[in-house]
Amino acid sequence: MTARSERAEGAAGAERERQARRAYRERNAERISAGKRAWRERNQEHIRAYRAAYNAEHREEVLAKKREHAARSSARRVAERRRKESKRASSKKYYEAHKTEHREYTRQWQARKRAEDPEGYRATRAKAQRRWWDTHKDEYNAKLRAQHRENPEPRRAAAREYYAAHAEEMKAKKRAYYAANRERVLAGNRAWKEREKRRLDAGLPPRRIRTTPAAERRANTAAADGFFTRERTPDEIAALRRKSHPTVELLQRTPPELVAAFERDSKRTRIEHALATDGSYASRQLLAEARRQLAAQQRAALREQRDATENARLDAIGKQVNDRLRHREPARRRHHLDPDPAAPHPMLNPNSTMGMNR
């Protein structure tokens, strides 16, 4: 066998081996993937350490690859965004040029789908409408609110007409809602009454929110624009300059006692509001009261200890003073019979220098 035939036989054998491995991988793809996942789970720490070591050893190469990948990804995103913008502009331009044809084609397509499968068409239509509503709900509601602010009369008229036509039905719905949510409604009423009471006790006016109509807003805006943008004549400017203004000394300042009273009432109102609305303050008050009682007990015990120490010191001083200043009786003389009962009485001593024997 020649060398060429040997090389051809070796290449054919390698190709057969590659095909056999490829066929094995295709037949056992799931088992191979599961084995790889299991191996990765068992060797997570080893894989992490290997990657860290490789990144540390080939840091510049890894960073260059990351930068290249980021640049390719950014260029791909930019190209995709430009392609979408170009397609959107082209589609819009084509739609503007063939708007009538497009609408006619859409109506024909909808009629054909509705005739082929009415139930499926309605289900697909409802799904598309629900998807659109979920995506544009906030935008659509904001648009409706803006329209109502600008012109609330159509909606109010429609509401009045509907209530007049369905008065009993609306009353029944309100009664049913109250019966099902009685505690919730009563809690809301109590909260509103308490809030209004706190406002009145604090000297604040009742909370009344009124939406300014669009006509009134436009009139106010026009008046403000007319006032601030109107050009003044030289005579008006001279009159304004000649007009006397009060000096700083003539301006009356707010008395300090009124400012102090306002600040004191404001702090009291804020504290009362916090205590009424924040439930955590109740536990804080109990904790503060317990701490005050414990501190009072500690102070009382310390005071008793100091008093006991001071009393003991004063008693010791008093004992020393008493021992030094107390009057002591003279020692009683011993009886003449104590040492020797047979000794003569002292009064019988003939050598006495007292009295008649002197």
Side-chain angles (χ1 to χ4, degrees):
M1 181 180 293
T2 62
R4 181 179 297 178
S5 61
E6 290 180 357
R7 287 195 300 271
E9 184 65 23
E15 182 64 24
R16 286 194 299 270
E17 185 178 355
R18 284 195 297 271
Q19 291 180 358
R21 287 199 298 268
R22 190 182 303 112
Y24 177 82
R25 287 195 300 268
E26 292 176 356
R27 290 194 307 269
N28 302 275
E30 295 183 359
R31 189 175 68 176
I32 293 173
S33 299
K36 289 182 178 180
R37 283 195 300 271
W39 187 88
R40 285 194 296 269
E41 291 177 358
R42 291 194 307 269
N43 300 274
Q44 290 182 0
E45 295 297 332
H46 172 72
I47 294 173
R48 190 178 295 109
Y50 174 79
R51 288 179 177 175
Y54 181 87
N55 292 338
E57 185 178 357
H58 305 83
R59 187 170 184 275
E60 295 299 331
E61 182 181 356
V62 171
L63 292 178
K65 289 183 178 180
K66 287 184 177 180
R67 286 193 294 268
E68 183 180 356
H69 176 73
R72 287 199 305 267
S73 299
S74 178
R76 189 165 51 250
R77 288 194 299 269
V78 171
E80 184 66 18
R81 185 171 62 252
R82 290 178 179 176
R83 186 186 66 81
K84 289 183 179 180
E85 291 177 355
S86 177
K87 184 177 179 180
R88 189 181 300 110
S90 177
S91 300
K92 186 176 181 180
K93 183 178 180 180
Y94 178 84
Y95 177 76
E96 292 295 335
H98 304 82
K99 185 181 297 183
T100 305
E101 299 176 5
H102 182 74
R103 290 180 178 177
E104 182 61 27
Y105 174 79
T106 303
R107 282 193 292 267
Q108 293 177 4
W109 183 86
Q110 291 177 352
R112 186 173 67 253
K113 291 296 182 181
R114 190 183 302 110
E116 291 176 357
D117 186 7
E119 295 296 333
Y121 175 80
R122 281 195 292 269
T124 305
R125 187 75 173 174
K127 185 178 180 180
Q129 290 178 351
R130 172 54 59 182
R131 185 168 58 250
W132 183 92
W133 173 253
D134 293 339
T135 307
H136 302 81
K137 178 172 58 179
D138 297 335
E139 179 183 354
Y140 184 76
N141 289 334
K143 182 179 178 181
L144 291 181
R145 286 193 294 270
Q147 292 178 356
H148 179 68
R149 283 196 302 268
E150 292 297 330
N151 189 15
E153 277 308 316
R155 188 173 178 180
R156 292 175 182 173
R160 286 193 296 267
E161 292 177 1
Y162 182 85
Y163 188 83
H166 306 81
E168 295 300 329
E169 181 181 355
M170 296 294 294
K171 292 178 181 178
K173 286 184 179 180
K174 289 183 179 180
R175 287 193 294 268
Y177 179 83
Y178 179 79
N181 304 273
R182 185 172 182 274
E183 295 299 330
R184 180 180 177 183
V185 174
L186 294 180
N189 293 340
R190 286 193 297 269
W192 182 84
K193 291 180 180 178
E194 292 175 358
R195 185 176 65 249
E196 291 298 319
K197 185 177 181 300
R198 289 195 299 271
R199 291 177 64 87
L200 295 177
D201 294 342
L204 300 175
R207 183 179 176 83
R208 298 292 183 266
I209 297 178
R210 182 182 69 87
T211 304
T212 306
E216 185 176 350
R217 292 202 305 273
R218 286 192 293 268
N220 295 337
T221 303
D225 293 341
F227 178 80
F228 290 106
T229 60
R230 183 172 64 88
E231 295 183 2
R232 305 286 181 175
T233 62
D235 296 337
E236 292 176 344
I237 296 174
L240 291 174
R241 289 176 176 175
R242 288 194 302 268
K243 186 177 180 180
S244 60
H245 298 281
T247 59
V248 178
E249 290 77 7
L250 297 179
L251 296 177
Q252 295 182 358
R253 298 182 58 186
T254 304
E257 58 273 12
L258 294 181
V259 176
F262 173 76
E263 294 178 353
R264 183 173 59 254
D265 295 342
S266 300
K267 292 180 180 179
R268 184 182 297 112
T269 303
R270 286 195 293 269
I271 293 173
E272 292 177 354
H273 175 72
L275 293 177
T277 56
D278 193 350
S280 62
Y281 279 99
S283 59
R284 297 181 193 177
Q285 286 182 330
L286 296 177
L287 182 60
E289 184 64 26
R291 288 176 177 174
R292 284 194 293 270
Q293 292 181 0
L294 179 61
Q297 294 176 0
Q298 292 177 352
R299 287 195 298 270
L302 184 61
R303 190 183 305 109
E304 292 178 358
Q305 183 179 0
R306 288 200 301 266
D307 293 345
T309 303
E310 184 67 15
N311 292 335
R313 187 178 69 85
L314 294 177
D315 290 343
I317 294 174
K319 185 175 183 303
Q320 293 177 3
V321 172
N322 290 336
D323 291 343
R324 188 166 56 248
L325 300 179
R326 181 181 293 115
H327 174 73
R328 296 181 179 274
E329 295 181 358
R332 186 172 64 86
R333 290 182 300 176
R334 298 176 61 185
H335 198 271
H336 66 283
L337 297 179
D338 286 344
D340 187 6
H345 194 275
M347 297 299 296
L348 300 178
N349 188 1
N351 297 324
S352 177
T353 59
M354 299 295 290
M356 298 294 293
N357 294 327
R358 188 173 57 180

